[in-house]
């Protein structure tokens, strides 16, 4: 009789275990780039932990209540996995609890994205239906056959003990895995932990760190930065006594930062230091912008900037966890966004001395404005952008009088309605824009596509490609109008225009299957693109009409390097050690960092998810050990930069060292 009772309880555990593992594998297949990794070892272990917890919960009460709890848990699991699958297909990332608590759902409904969300759900129906199998199985068969009898306190305690032992064993295996240890014990990144440990463990970490606020451990390899060696010349540093800070700091995390930065080599001033000193700056982060949006005939103003200004031939824009907001954050702060939160929103409580608005203000410039032609409070820009030193306006606090109520809104209307705020012939200025006209969807539901369709309708291209061009024609018109206004005011030759994307245009993905998902990118590139790295290859437009000649820069660089490059060009005083990017025009070694810890250097490209390093042409290593050692050195630097960026955000570090 006892064996029969034990078997009935085992059946419920096995149902939860198989259900969780099944949904983990389906989600993994639908969202992860690499299926066969060490994550397949940890998935069953963490699934068993979750199943044991669910079994104990569903055996604490009477049989009827336990059955209701079982149905509730399996329903919640289905909703969780299905929503993550849809969200990932739409944004290329997983949904974090911070986005829900910070009002992300309300923003989607209020700001024109609801139709796109519904479209994503419809497109994800096949995956949703597959994920629903355990739910259907329970309510058709399992509800009657699975035992939900109450178990005694002794067996409940035994189940809890088994969870603890299994969890400790699993964590022990992770600890001895060189590739997985930094992901588990280092900076939390849900987009990596789902692949390595599964969604259930990722959700537990997300709740632990971001909802309950339990601090993460620091997992740093504090060594001298091997990328920036000793060099003769004047360093871009400020007078910071790290030794004194280490000796007096009471905040443990801040002390880690003091120790780290005391070991780092700076970048150095160069021939381009102060190249634009005393000039005005208009800086744009352009929604969904890419090299494919630059065309001699369709977007002549963007083409002019790309051919007559600085030409960065190996510039990349990685996709971060909170897509647009994190893309902005990276370009504006020179820091890697912290996963699991809205970094820009969180930074609004901190001192941000290196943001361009604050640096221009420090130099005495008073005309400092930031604009966004969508709802002013989207991603809480109404908090983050004034903290960068700007008078900030968006739809809802100043721009609604100029912007037509449609989705997406017009960049041209934004320029026409705002340029007179700051373009004054005898006063220096700096303006920042976050554009929106290039936003998905790339079809005729998009107001900018409809507006400019006649200019692209006869192109020999798929409709989705035509739509992408049409959306970016609006950005080009805005840039053209800006150039005309600068010229009319007589300040064009003393004004720099800089444009960088927030992320690659993932709205061009097809979503049918992996073979056709990037077919529109293949069409635009004229060949089958490499989705590991080439997908993120982008452009950073930096232009001033008074430049004597174009400047071509072949260094591998990214949006993380935009801020230090501009700080150096405008001759601002800053400490290059305290930023995660580097001045592109300095002698600092090439380094492009991607969200999954992949990287590009002057020696080659490393794909972290596949653990594959591809040397650049002409690069050789003496032996396999030397290559592995190089990968480890750069990977340590990359992992450090993720954690350091998160700690800077968490500790308000700049306020401690730059009082």
């Amino acid at each position: 009789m006892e064996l029969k009772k034990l078997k009935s309880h085992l059946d419920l555990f096995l149902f939860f275990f198989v259900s969780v593992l099944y949904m983990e594998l389906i989600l993994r297949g639908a969202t992860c780039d690499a299926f066969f990794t060490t994550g397949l070892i940890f998935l069953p272990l963490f699934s068993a932990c979750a199943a044991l917890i669910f079994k104990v919960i569903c055996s604490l009460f009477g049989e009827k209540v336990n059955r209701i709890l079982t149905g509730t848990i399996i329903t919640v699991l289905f909703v969780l996995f299905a929503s993550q699958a849809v969200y990932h297909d739409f944004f290329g990332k997983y949904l974090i609890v911070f986005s829900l608590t910070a009002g992300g759902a309300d923003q989607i409904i209020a700001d024109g994205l609801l139709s796109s969300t519904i479209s994503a759900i419809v497109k994800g129906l096949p995956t949703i239906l597959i994920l629903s199998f355990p739910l259907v199985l329970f309510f058709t068969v399992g509800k009657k056959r699975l035992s939900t009898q109450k178990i005694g306190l002794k067996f409940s305690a035994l189940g809890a003990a088994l969870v603890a032992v299994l969890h400790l064993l699993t964590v022990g295996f992770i600890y001895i895995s060189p590739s997985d240890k930094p992901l588990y014990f280092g900076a939390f990144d849900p987009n990596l932990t789902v692949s390595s440990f599964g969604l259930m463990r990722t959700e537990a970490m997300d709740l632990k760190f971001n909802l309950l606020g339990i601090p993460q451990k620091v997992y740093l390899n504090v060594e001298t930065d091997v990328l920036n060696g000793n060099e003769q010349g004047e360093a871009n540093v400020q007078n910071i006594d790290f030794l004194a800070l280490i000796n007096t700091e009471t905040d443990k995390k801040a002390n880690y930062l003091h120790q780290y930065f005391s070991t780092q080599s700076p970048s150095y001033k160069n021939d381009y230091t102060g190249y634009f000193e005393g000039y005005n700056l208009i800086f744009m982060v352009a929604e969904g912008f890419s090299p494919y949006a630059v065309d001699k005939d369709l977007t002549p103003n963007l083409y002019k900037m790309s051919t007559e200004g600085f030409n960065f031939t190996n510039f990349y824009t990685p996709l971060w966890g909170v897509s647009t907001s994190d893309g902005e954050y990276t370009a504006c702060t020179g820091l890697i966004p912290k996963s699991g939160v809205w970094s820009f929103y969180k930074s609004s409580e901190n001192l941000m001395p290196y943001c361009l608005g604050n640096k221009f203000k420090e130099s005495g410039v008073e005309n400092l404005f930031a604009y966004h032609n969508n709802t002013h409070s989207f991603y809480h820009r109404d908090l983050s952008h004034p903290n960068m030193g700007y008078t900030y306006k968006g739809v809802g606090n100043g721009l609604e009088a100029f912007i037509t109520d449609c989705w997406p809104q017009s960049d041209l209307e934004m320029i026409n309605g705002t340029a007179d705020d700051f373009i004054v012939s005898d006063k220096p200025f700096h303006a920042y824009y976050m554009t929106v006209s290039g936003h998905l969807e790339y079809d005729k539901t998009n107001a900018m596509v409809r507006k400019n369709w006649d200019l692209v309708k006869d192109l020999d291209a798929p409709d989705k490609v035509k739509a992408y061009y049409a959306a970016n024609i609006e950005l080009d018109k805005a840039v053209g109008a800006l150039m005309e206004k600068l010229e009319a005011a007589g300040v064009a030759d003393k004004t720099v225009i800089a444009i960088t994307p927030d992320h690659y245009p993932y709205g061009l993905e097809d979503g049918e299957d992996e073979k056709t998902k990037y077919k529109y990118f293949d069409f635009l590139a004229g060949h089958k693109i490499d989705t590991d790295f080439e997908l993120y290859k982008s452009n950073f437009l930096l232009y001033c009409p008074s430049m004597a000649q174009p400047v071509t820069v072949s260094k591998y660089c990214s949006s993380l390097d935009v801020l230090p490059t501009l700080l150096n060009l405008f001759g601002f005083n800053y400490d290059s050690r305290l930023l995660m990017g580097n001045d592109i025009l300095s002698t600092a070694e090439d380094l492009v960092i991607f969200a999954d810890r992949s990287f590009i250097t002057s020696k080659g490209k490393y794909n972290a998810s596949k653990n594959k390093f591809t040397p650049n042409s002409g690069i050789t290593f003496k032996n396999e050990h030397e290559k592995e050692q190089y990968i480890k050195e750069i990977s340590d630097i990359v992992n450090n930069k993720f954690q350091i960026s998160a700690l800077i955000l968490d500790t308000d570090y700049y306020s401690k060292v730059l009082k």
Side-chain angles (χ1 to χ4, degrees):
M1 189 71 179
E2 287 298 321
L3 285 175
K4 186 176 180 181
K5 187 176 180 181
L6 182 63
K7 181 182 178 299
S8 68
H9 287 302
L10 187 62
D11 286 346
L12 185 57
F13 162 73
L14 288 174
F15 170 73
F16 277 128
F17 173 67
V18 172
S19 296
V20 172
L21 184 58
Y22 169 82
M23 287 189 276
E24 289 279 16
L25 291 171
I26 296 302
L27 183 70
R28 183 181 184 83
T31 63
C32 295
D33 292 333
F35 188 86
F36 296 100
T37 68
T38 54
L40 287 177
I41 299 172
F42 301 120
L43 274 187
L45 296 173
F46 279 124
S47 296
C49 286
L52 273 170
I53 293 171
F54 297 148
K55 164 58 189 167
V56 170
I57 291 173
C58 295
S59 303
L60 291 175
F61 308 99
E63 190 171 355
K64 185 176 181 180
V65 173
N66 288 338
R67 189 176 295 113
I68 293 172
L69 284 172
T70 302
T72 301
I73 288 174
I74 200 67
T75 301
V76 170
L77 287 172
F78 163 70
V79 172
L80 175 65
F81 278 87
S83 60
Q84 289 286 15
V86 171
Y87 189 89
H88 191 280
D89 184 58
F90 188 56
F91 290 106
K93 300 291 175 183
Y94 300 100
L95 180 63
I96 54 176
V97 68
F98 189 91
S99 292
L100 297 176
T101 59
D106 292 340
Q107 291 190 170
I108 287 175
I109 294 170
D111 290 276
L113 292 175
L114 184 58
S115 61
S116 298
T117 304
I118 293 171
S119 175
I121 293 172
V122 172
K123 191 164 64 173
L125 276 177
T127 302
I128 294 172
L129 290 173
I130 295 171
L131 284 167
S132 70
F133 179 70
L135 181 69
V136 173
L137 187 66
F138 174 76
F139 282 104
T140 55
V141 180
K143 189 175 180 181
K144 295 178 180 179
R145 295 190 178 183
L146 291 171
S147 172
T148 55
Q149 291 179 346
K150 182 179 180 179
I151 61 174
L153 188 62
K154 181 172 67 175
F155 286 102
S156 296
L158 178 62
L162 285 173
V163 172
V165 171
L166 185 56
H167 179 75
L168 286 173
L169 285 173
T170 307
V171 173
F173 289 139
I174 292 170
Y175 191 81
I176 61 175
S177 171
S179 60
D180 295 301
K181 182 180 177 181
L183 300 183
Y184 194 87
F185 295 100
F188 171 59
D189 188 335
N191 303 297
L192 299 181
T193 55
V194 170
S195 175
S196 294
F197 314 124
L199 181 64
M200 295 307 298
R201 186 57 198 153
T202 297
E203 292 294 349
M205 295 169 79
D206 191 15
L207 292 171
K208 175 182 176 182
F209 298 135
N210 298 318
L211 186 65
L212 300 179
I214 298 173
Q216 292 178 240
K217 293 181 180 179
V218 180
Y219 178 73
L220 288 176
N221 181 12
V222 181
E223 295 179 356
T224 301
D225 188 347
V226 299
L227 285 175
N228 294 342
N230 294 324
E231 180 184 334
Q232 299 299 316
E234 187 179 355
N236 268 317
V237 295
Q238 292 173 283
N239 185 22
I240 301 173
D241 188 343
F242 286 111
L243 181 59
L245 289 168
I246 291 168
N247 291 332
T248 58
E249 183 61 67
T250 58
D251 184 327
K252 186 177 179 180
K253 289 185 175 181
N255 218 314
Y256 278 124
L257 293 173
H258 299 329
Q259 294 175 51
Y260 174 84
F261 288 122
S262 71
T263 69
Q264 299 306 292
S265 300
S267 63
Y268 288 79
K269 296 184 179 181
N270 49 70
D271 291 342
Y272 290 98
T273 301
Y275 189 73
F276 290 132
E277 188 169 358
Y279 281 52
N280 306 308
L281 172 64
I282 297 171
F283 180 34
M284 294 184 179
V285 173
E287 172 65 48
F289 188 50
S290 77
Y292 310 122
V294 180
D295 182 87
K296 185 177 182 179
D297 299 315
L298 294 172
T299 54
N301 299 299
L302 297 172
Y303 182 81
K304 180 182 181 70
M305 289 183 65
S306 69
T307 55
E308 298 180 18
F310 283 85
N311 180 21
F312 301 96
T313 59
N314 285 304
F315 182 83
Y316 290 78
T317 304
L319 177 65
W320 306 102
V322 194
S323 58
T324 293
S325 183
D326 277 357
E328 265 194 288
Y329 180 78
T330 304
C332 291
T333 68
L335 300 173
I336 297 171
K338 178 185 176 181
S339 292
V341 301
W342 292 359
S343 297
F344 226 155
Y345 172 31
K346 189 174 172 68
S347 76
S348 63
E349 302 171 356
N350 295 353
L351 178 69
M352 302 299 289
Y354 295 135
C355 290
L356 290 165
N358 286 323
K359 292 308 290 185
F360 272 94
K361 181 182 290 186
E362 184 183 293
S363 71
V365 176
E366 296 178 354
N367 272 0
L368 300 166
F369 289 89
Y371 305 100
H372 179 49
N373 44 337
N374 194 17
T375 303
H376 75 289
S377 57
F378 203 105
Y379 285 126
H380 299 293
R381 290 186 179 96
D382 55 322
L383 301 177
S384 59
H385 288 33
N387 192 47
M388 290 195 289
Y390 301 112
T391 297
Y392 169 67
K393 296 181 182 180
V395 174
N397 74 332
L399 290 197
E400 58 279 357
F402 309 108
I403 306 296
T404 301
D405 184 12
C406 61
W407 175 252
Q409 295 91 337
S410 167
D411 295 341
L412 176 60
E413 290 180 352
M414 176 166 62
I415 292 297
N416 285 335
T418 60
D420 289 343
D421 286 348
F422 56 86
I423 299 180
V424 184
S425 59
D426 60 344
K427 290 184 179 180
F429 60 83
H430 163 47
Y432 169 75
Y433 287 95
M434 177 66 227
T435 74
V436 78
S437 290
H439 204 288
L440 54 75
E441 298 280 337
Y442 302 123
D443 56 34
K444 288 188 179 179
T445 64
N446 182 310
M448 296 302 104
V449 173
R450 295 194 302 272
K451 179 180 179 181
N452 297 310
W453 186 254
D454 284 348
L455 299 173
V456 300
K457 64 181 182 181
D458 295 327
L459 293 176
D460 183 16
D463 281 355
K464 201 158 190 172
V465 171
K466 292 178 185 178
Y468 181 68
Y469 279 132
N472 281 282
I473 284 173
E474 193 69 9
L475 172 64
D476 184 76
K477 289 178 178 178
V479 172
L482 191 56
M483 290 178 173
E484 289 177 4
K485 292 177 183 295
L486 292 169
E487 190 67 40
V491 296
D493 286 348
K494 291 288 288 182
T495 301
V496 177
I497 303 176
I499 302 177
T500 187
D502 56 346
H503 52 69
Y504 78 93
Y506 49 71
L508 280 174
E509 293 174 1
D510 187 59
E512 294 173 2
D513 57 61
E514 286 302 312
K515 290 183 178 179
T516 63
K517 185 175 182 179
Y518 300 102
K519 64 183 181 183
Y520 298 116
F521 292 93
D522 297 341
F523 177 88
L524 287 163
H527 61 267
K528 190 164 186 62
I529 68 163
D530 158 37
T531 56
D532 292 333
F533 295 104
E534 188 182 2
L535 181 66
Y536 306 99
K537 193 168 184 181
S538 195
N539 43 10
F540 170 31
L541 305 183
L542 185 59
Y543 165 80
C544 182
S546 60
M547 288 179 62
Q549 58 186 13
V551 178
T552 299
V553 182
S554 60
K555 178 185 284 190
Y556 290 101
C557 53
S558 75
S559 48
L560 196 61
D561 304 314
V562 167
L563 179 66
T565 302
L566 291 174
L567 289 173
N568 183 69
L569 279 166
F570 281 82
F572 290 131
N573 181 32
Y574 76 104
D575 197 312
S576 56
R577 297 170 296 180
L578 301 184
L579 298 174
M580 297 301 101
N582 268 317
D583 169 20
I584 301 169
L585 300 165
S586 73
T587 56
E589 285 293 327
D590 311 38
L591 179 61
V592 176
I593 297 172
F594 295 89
D596 67 349
R597 271 60 164 184
S598 296
F599 60 77
I600 303 175
T601 68
S602 58
K603 291 189 176 181
K605 299 178 175 69
Y606 175 65
N607 185 315
S609 63
K610 299 176 182 176
N611 192 24
K612 180 182 178 182
F613 183 82
T614 305
N616 289 334
S617 177
I619 299 295
T620 58
F621 293 90
K622 292 178 183 178
N623 50 49
E624 189 66 18
H625 174 74
E626 184 184 52
K627 185 179 79 171
E628 291 301 319
Q629 186 61 30
Y630 178 75
I631 293 171
K632 183 183 182 306
E633 285 179 349
I634 306 304
S635 293
D636 283 345
I637 290 170
V638 169
N639 285 325
N640 281 348
K641 286 180 181 289
F642 273 89
Q643 293 188 85
I644 292 301
S645 289
L647 288 172
I648 288 173
L649 187 66
D650 289 342
T651 63
D652 189 10
Y653 184 68
Y654 294 145
S655 70
K656 298 178 183 294
V657 295
L658 301 172
K659 296 177 182 178

